[in-house]
Amino acid sequence: MASFTPKLVALFLLLLFSHLTTLSSATSTLRDDLLGAARAPSFVSWLRGLRRRIHQHPELAFQEHRTSELVRAELDALGVSYVWPVAWTGVVATIAGGGGGGPVVALRADMDALPLQELVDWEYKSLETGKMHACGHDAHVTMLLGAAKLLQYRKKDLKLVFQPAEESYAGAYYILEEGALDGLEAIFGLHVSPHLPVGVVASRPGPFLAASARFSATVAGKGGHAGGPHDAVDPIIAACSTVLSLQQLVARETDPLEAAVVSVTLLRGGDVYNVIPGSATFGGTVRSMTDEGLAYLMKRVKEIIEGQAIVHRCAATVDFMEEELRPYPATVNDEGMYAHAKAVAEAMLGEANVKTAPQSMGAEDFAFYAQRAAGAFFFIGVGNETSMDRASPVHSPHFVMDEEVLPIGAAFHASVAIEYLK
């Protein structure tokens, strides 16, 4: 028997190669079919219509009632079951494969808009004063609904998460707190990027986006006439000195090879030219590429503010607003889930159109999901130098996107889920 072992091994390898080739071909065909279906004129028209309806009626965090209603209506039309309300306005849909007992896999889109007045002059601009989809969440919802339509007949067990309040208010945290994703094994999310052209996606394994928190501080002194500063205890001087001292956290307390940010973004004192006010307030954000780094920055911010207040004969209070504006963890892509999504993207879009993204000090509440399960978060390009004058960043009142991204995002979502559940 020993003399036949090499032949048996060779035969086994030949059969395995043949199986893998067939599987690869079938996988490629599946992805081509999904992207082709998503790019069908009627499908694209439906996607554009959805995105424009959502864009015209942006809603802020935990106020996404109209958007949630639109999502539910589309899911009803597709025959997809869902739970609502989740985290006040959220919707968690289930596409059931009938097998049961398998892994819980989720695709996620956020729904909320920003408190900005849209300055883009186009037919479908925001009709809501002071509100705009300037971060592309209208596209995120549309792409996930598109994925639902592509997946409805494929009967795979997965969840579709239409999440409220990504902007500042940690909607993901509350989705998880309500138990809507208990047993979650893997999750995938997309975010539009005007800095990438349509047809290109980008991400990276491991730490991707920063952990972040906000702080507000009040320094209390003793008011008085500006002509007699010795009779007052000046909180303005204390606040200014503190702002400068906070900069040493990055310059002298953080490893130069580790990313960190301490930015004071607001400062308020008195409102009379010749009066020293009784108090001054300031605030800002702290960020790190690790949760441990963020915890250290938060601890030191409090110590420095309180210490500088004492030096200047003042008293200080520091509030990180951890209940109202919950700090976000770092977004860390699971290496296996990232590799899976990357392979899907390369097969669907071509290797040249799948980029390695740099780390970013932006923050995302997708991080809460990625703490609970194997997560992969990707940027998807919405830029087009041919049809767009310039690429305005997200959170700009001039933000625009090329809607050709919609079928690509829908197919990418669907392909990641289908291939994962094979």
Side-chain angles (χ1 to χ4, degrees):
M1 292 295 291
S3 62
F4 292 98
T5 299
K7 293 182 179 179
L8 290 173
V9 171
L11 179 61
F12 172 76
L13 291 174
L14 180 63
L15 291 172
L16 178 61
F17 176 77
S18 175
H19 171 73
L20 290 175
T21 302
T22 302
L23 180 61
S24 176
S25 176
T27 297
S28 181
T29 299
L30 174 62
R31 291 169 187 151
D32 289 343
D33 287 349
L34 285 169
L35 187 55
R39 281 175 164 165
S42 60
F43 200 99
V44 171
S45 178
W46 173 70
L47 290 173
R48 288 176 185 263
L50 286 177
R51 188 251 164 170
R52 292 169 180 181
R53 285 160 60 194
I54 298 169
H55 189 86
Q56 285 187 302
H57 296 283
E59 297 168 299
L60 303 182
F62 294 125
Q63 300 173 23
E64 307 93 335
H65 302 289
R66 185 179 185 132
T67 307
S68 178
E69 183 178 3
L70 180 149
V71 167
R72 300 194 312 272
E74 294 297 329
L75 292 173
D76 285 336
L78 295 172
V80 174
S81 63
Y82 55 84
V83 176
W84 169 85
V86 182
W88 294 280
T89 53
V91 180
V92 177
T94 301
I95 296 180
V104 178
V105 181
L107 306 173
R108 173 268 200 169
D110 38 15
M111 301 190 294
D112 55 323
L114 288 162
L116 290 175
Q117 182 65 44
E118 182 168 5
L119 299 180
V120 182
D121 189 16
W122 69 305
E123 185 178 356
Y124 300 99
K125 72 184 299 183
S126 172
L127 299 177
E128 309 295 333
T129 301
K131 301 175 187 178
M132 179 189 176
H133 271 295
C135 201
H137 297 188
D138 51 343
H140 299 170
V141 173
T142 300
M143 291 186 289
L144 191 53
L145 284 171
K149 193 166 188 175
L150 292 171
L151 291 164
Q152 63 174 323
Y153 299 120
R154 298 185 183 272
K155 299 304 180 185
K156 298 290 183 180
D157 289 308
L158 72 146
K159 303 284 188 180
L160 308 177
V161 182
F162 296 89
Q163 178 209 302
E166 186 279 325
E167 302 288 355
S168 302
Y169 289 92
Y173 172 85
Y174 296 101
I175 291 278
L176 292 168
E177 281 292 291
E178 292 196 16
L181 295 177
D182 284 354
L184 183 66
E185 178 180 293
I187 187 166
F188 177 73
L190 286 172
H191 199 296
V192 300
S193 172
H195 305 299
L196 297 172
V198 167
V200 173
V201 299
S203 188
R204 67 183 299 113
F208 186 20
L209 304 174
S212 74
R214 298 166 184 79
F215 68 92
S216 175
T218 299
V219 178
K222 176 185 175 184
H225 195 283
H230 57 290
D231 292 324
V233 178
D234 194 340
I236 300 292
I237 297 295
C240 291
S241 179
T242 303
V243 170
L244 293 176
S245 295
L246 288 173
Q247 304 313 304
Q248 304 307 314
L249 280 174
V250 175
R252 287 295 176 267
E253 295 188 29
T254 302
D255 186 329
L257 300 181
E258 295 180 4
V261 168
V262 177
S263 290
V264 176
T265 56
L266 57 92
L267 176 62
R268 301 188 186 97
D271 53 10
V272 180
Y273 291 113
N274 62 347
V275 175
I276 295 171
S279 65
T281 61
F282 59 94
T285 182
V286 292
R287 297 172 183 240
S288 170
M289 287 307 299
T290 68
D291 296 342
E292 296 78 14
L294 181 69
Y296 177 80
L297 290 176
M298 291 172 70
K299 177 178 78 75
R300 289 293 289 136
V301 162
K302 185 174 189 295
E303 290 172 351
I304 289 171
I305 293 172
E306 292 176 345
Q308 284 292 321
I310 292 171
V311 168
H312 291 86
R313 301 179 296 147
C314 294
T317 58
V318 184
D319 184 5
F320 289 100
M321 301 166 282
E322 295 181 72
E323 288 302 318
E324 180 186 1
L325 297 173
R326 185 173 296 275
Y328 286 9
T331 300
V332 180
N333 278 334
D334 176 79
E335 298 210 4
M337 189 62 181
Y338 163 80
H340 166 71
K342 178 175 180 283
V344 168
E346 288 175 343
M348 188 169 69
L349 302 173
E351 289 186 20
N353 292 317
V354 181
K355 309 293 186 182
T356 300
Q359 291 181 332
S360 169
M361 298 310 288
E364 241 286 347
D365 75 349
F366 185 87
F368 289 105
Y369 301 122
Q371 285 186 324
R372 184 75 63 90
F377 192 71
F378 271 64
F379 289 142
I380 184 167
V382 296
N384 188 329
E385 293 181 357
T386 302
S387 62
M388 295 160 54
D389 292 336
R390 60 189 177 90
S392 295
V394 294
H395 290 222
S396 163
H398 300 283
F399 174 72
V400 296
M401 72 171 66
D402 187 333
E403 291 180 324
E404 291 300 316
V405 71
L406 301 176
I408 298 171
F412 191 15
H413 266 306
S415 295
V416 167
I418 289 172
E419 294 303 307
Y420 187 90
L421 290 167
K422 276 192 171 181

